[in-house]
Amino acid sequence: MPTPVLPWLLVIVLLAGCAPAPAPVAVRDYPLEADALLHGLGPTKTCRNDRDCQEGPVRAVCTLGTCFGLLTTDERVTRSLLVERLAAADAPVQAEAVKPLLAALASETTTTGQKMAAIDGLAAVSAKVPNGDIRAALRLAAANGDEGLATTARLALGRSGDETVRSALLEDLTRGTELLRAEAARALVSAVRVPEVKAALVAALHDGSPVVQLAVVRALALVAQEPGISSKLSELAARTPAFRYEVEQLLAGGVK
């Protein structure tokens, strides 16, 4: 005897009615996430670790029980970590961060440290958020009379490949302090195939500082396979055994 169709249809309908409803899609508050990265969560929010400083998928940094942001901490390591987190944030979060960062850089009431933090923050978001105002603000800062501020902006522009600071960075590479020479080498990576830059970096392999030499070796990674470059790197490894492993890995293509 054939099975009646109607009861089976009724069962299917009833089961469909019992199925769980789809989970609601979380609505992210991008301005709030950006504010957490820039200003932390305020003095009334206490924390034990960075997880307590989370807004959406982003986290401020917990230091001494307080959630700090990029523009509210004077601690260099904390700032570096927050710059990394801002660089890794989603583009909508970064876009929300641009305006307050530009405002902090232009303000007469923010400290030099906060302006430096704003420069690093703007440089961090510039790859995902193309904005002519960012580059204009960084170029203006690079011409600032405060040498620390100008240097920070110059290095940030160099890392983004801005040609307007190249000659100044080449001078930093030869005449700056040990730290500045190393940072200049890192900032010139984007222009390493430019003959003038390449020659300056090769010359800097003879710098008296191992810190600078290591930065230069890594800056030459993209052109390490070129005969003229590989021979100079090999010479460095021969006279300075401490660099042998780094150079061998580089020439073998193990360092990118």
Side-chain angles (χ1 to χ4, degrees):
M1 179 175 180
T3 304
V5 175
L6 186 58
W8 282 108
L9 289 176
L10 182 60
V11 170
I12 293 172
V13 171
L14 289 174
L15 288 176
C18 295
V25 177
V27 177
R28 292 175 59 181
D29 190 334
Y30 296 122
L32 188 60
E33 290 180 29
D35 190 65
L37 286 172
L38 298 185
H39 300 104
L41 301 185
T44 60
K45 170 68 175 179
T46 58
C47 60
R48 294 166 298 174
N49 52 54
D50 288 3
R51 288 191 297 274
D52 295 330
C53 301
Q54 188 153 337
E55 285 292 348
V58 308
R59 292 177 181 174
V61 173
C62 180
T63 303
L64 299 176
T66 301
C67 296
F68 286 97
L70 182 59
L71 298 176
T72 56
T73 179
D74 294 324
E75 214 283 313
R76 186 177 180 87
V77 175
T78 300
R79 281 181 175 171
S80 297
L81 177 57
L82 285 161
V83 167
E84 290 179 6
R85 290 180 180 178
L86 182 59
D90 294 332
V93 178
Q94 293 185 346
E96 292 292 342
V98 171
K99 187 174 180 179
L101 286 171
L102 287 172
L105 184 55
S107 174
E108 296 181 358
T109 60
T110 51
T111 66
T112 298
Q114 289 171 322
K115 289 180 186 292
M116 289 181 178
I119 288 170
D120 287 338
L122 288 168
V125 305
S126 61
K128 290 184 184 176
V129 187
N131 186 318
D133 291 339
I134 294 178
R135 189 164 296 273
L138 292 179
R139 286 178 175 175
L140 184 63
N144 193 283
D146 184 300
E147 184 57 31
L149 193 63
T151 299
T152 303
R154 184 164 67 245
L155 292 170
L157 286 166
R159 290 191 295 269
S160 70
D162 194 305
E163 298 180 6
T164 63
V165 296
R166 189 172 296 163
S167 60
L169 289 174
L170 289 172
E171 185 172 351
D172 291 336
L173 182 64
T174 57
R175 300 184 181 182
T177 63
E178 179 182 45
L179 177 60
L180 181 54
R181 297 198 306 277
E183 289 296 333
R186 297 184 185 103
L188 287 165
V189 169
S190 62
V192 69
R193 289 190 171 88
V194 176
E196 181 186 15
V197 173
K198 190 188 304 183
L201 288 169
V202 169
L205 288 172
H206 293 275
D207 193 282
S209 165
V211 173
V212 177
Q213 288 178 312
L214 181 58
V216 172
V217 167
R218 292 174 176 174
L220 289 167
L222 294 175
V223 294
Q225 306 301 321
E226 295 181 10
I229 306 299
S230 61
S231 62
K232 294 298 183 182
L233 290 170
S234 297
E235 290 174 11
L236 173 65
R239 68 175 182 267
T240 313
F243 289 116
R244 185 171 299 159
Y245 178 78
E246 183 90 21
V247 170
E248 286 176 353
Q249 289 293 103
L250 194 62
L251 296 180
V255 177
K256 300 297 183 183

